[in-house]
Amino acid sequence: MKIVAMALTGVMLLIGAVDHAYEATEQAIIKMLMDDNAYTRKNLKGKGDALSKEGSLEFWSSGGLLNEVDPDATPQEFESFNINLKHITVITLVPGQAAVAQYYSEGAMAPTTSAAVSNYRTRVTQVFVKEGGKWKVRAAHWSPIAGGAGTSQTAVID
């Protein structure tokens, strides 16, 4: 009986550790998304070093074909950027290693390399991998919400 109780205690501790690892991954992704958005609002440019060393495969809300974004691509710059992230949900695939985030992105922005968008409202799905201790984007898909607009950018600009 004592062995069974010890085994059950061990299983419960393991389950608790796994639950914590999933929750820690989810919270880390949400914090990173919010911090990166705040950085872009303040500095009017995206943070560098955000993409996987393999780059990112992305469908943009402007439509078009799949874009292969180089890991060393120059971060996008803006004349104005007032975007809010809402209803962020994170699905942990492998705790501390891989996750998918889904959320809404809405507001207004004026990229320096394309037309301004005053009614930017999109659904976002991003796939993250952990590389060198940091979460990096490996794939993404943005699609406009009915009545909203996506970005005006249609191609990678180097």
Side-chain angles (χ1 to χ4, degrees):
M1 190 67 154
K2 191 173 190 179
I3 293 173
V4 171
M6 288 174 52
L8 285 174
T9 300
V11 168
M12 292 180 70
L13 288 172
L14 181 60
I15 290 170
V18 169
D19 285 346
H20 177 73
Y22 276 81
E23 185 176 322
T25 297
E26 293 167 8
Q27 293 305 313
I29 296 289
I30 291 169
K31 182 178 182 335
M32 180 202 55
L33 288 168
M34 297 304 285
D35 289 351
D36 288 358
N37 190 64
Y39 177 92
T40 303
R41 288 175 79 128
K42 180 179 179 182
N43 298 288
L44 297 178
K45 67 178 180 179
K47 289 177 79 173
D49 195 32
L51 301 179
S52 164
K53 64 185 176 194
E54 303 296 324
S56 180
L57 298 176
E58 303 188 1
F59 284 112
W60 295 339
S61 55
S62 55
L65 303 175
L66 182 65
N67 290 283
E68 293 184 40
V69 184
D70 187 88
D72 299 320
T74 303
Q76 191 169 13
E77 295 185 9
F78 302 88
E79 293 174 23
S80 65
F81 185 89
N82 186 22
I83 300 292
N84 295 302
L85 309 183
K86 297 182 175 183
H87 308 294
I88 301 171
T89 300
V90 177
I91 301 165
T92 299
L93 302 174
V94 180
Q97 295 180 38
V100 175
Q102 295 179 304
Y103 57 94
Y104 297 100
S105 180
E106 64 181 30
M109 67 171 160
T112 58
T113 58
S114 55
V117 181
S118 62
N119 186 26
Y120 182 80
R121 293 193 299 160
T122 65
R123 297 167 291 198
V124 182
T125 299
Q126 290 180 300
V127 177
F128 292 94
V129 293
K130 193 97 172 249
E131 294 176 357
K134 296 181 181 179
W135 288 104
K136 307 287 184 155
V137 176
R138 183 63 181 104
H141 187 153
W142 285 266
S143 59
I145 297 171
T151 184
S152 54
Q153 183 176 356
T154 58
V156 175
I157 299 172
D158 288 322

